[in-house]
Amino acid sequence: MLILSRKKGESLYIGDDIQVQVIEIKGAQVRLAFDAPDDIRIQRLGAEPDGKGEKSQEA
């Protein structure tokens, strides 16, 4: 697992075509923006330890 520190407005790339940008930081909450091709599925998971978080959202 890779762990990075980013500040508001900073981005990182996963591969050549997936961009993740830090949009906002409020206390312990961080808002991220993902820019990926339509054929890439982005899945959100909740904080429940059983991994049953929110249903997946496609980008």
Side-chain angles (χ1 to χ4, degrees):
M1 177 183 294
L2 174 65
I3 299 173
L4 300 171
S5 296
R6 299 282 89 192
K7 296 178 182 176
K8 181 178 175 181
E10 292 184 332
S11 298
L12 62 95
Y13 277 88
I14 300 172
D16 292 330
D17 53 359
I18 301 173
Q19 181 183 12
V20 181
Q21 183 176 11
V22 178
I23 300 298
E24 183 178 22
I25 303 170
K26 281 187 179 178
Q29 185 177 22
V30 178
R31 292 183 67 205
L32 301 173
F34 295 85
D35 186 15
D38 291 337
D39 63 330
I40 300 294
R41 189 174 130 192
I42 298 174
Q43 184 174 358
R44 283 192 315 193
L45 297 177
E48 292 87 18
D50 62 3
K52 292 183 180 178
E54 299 177 33
K55 292 186 179 182
S56 66
Q57 302 287 322
E58 293 192 23

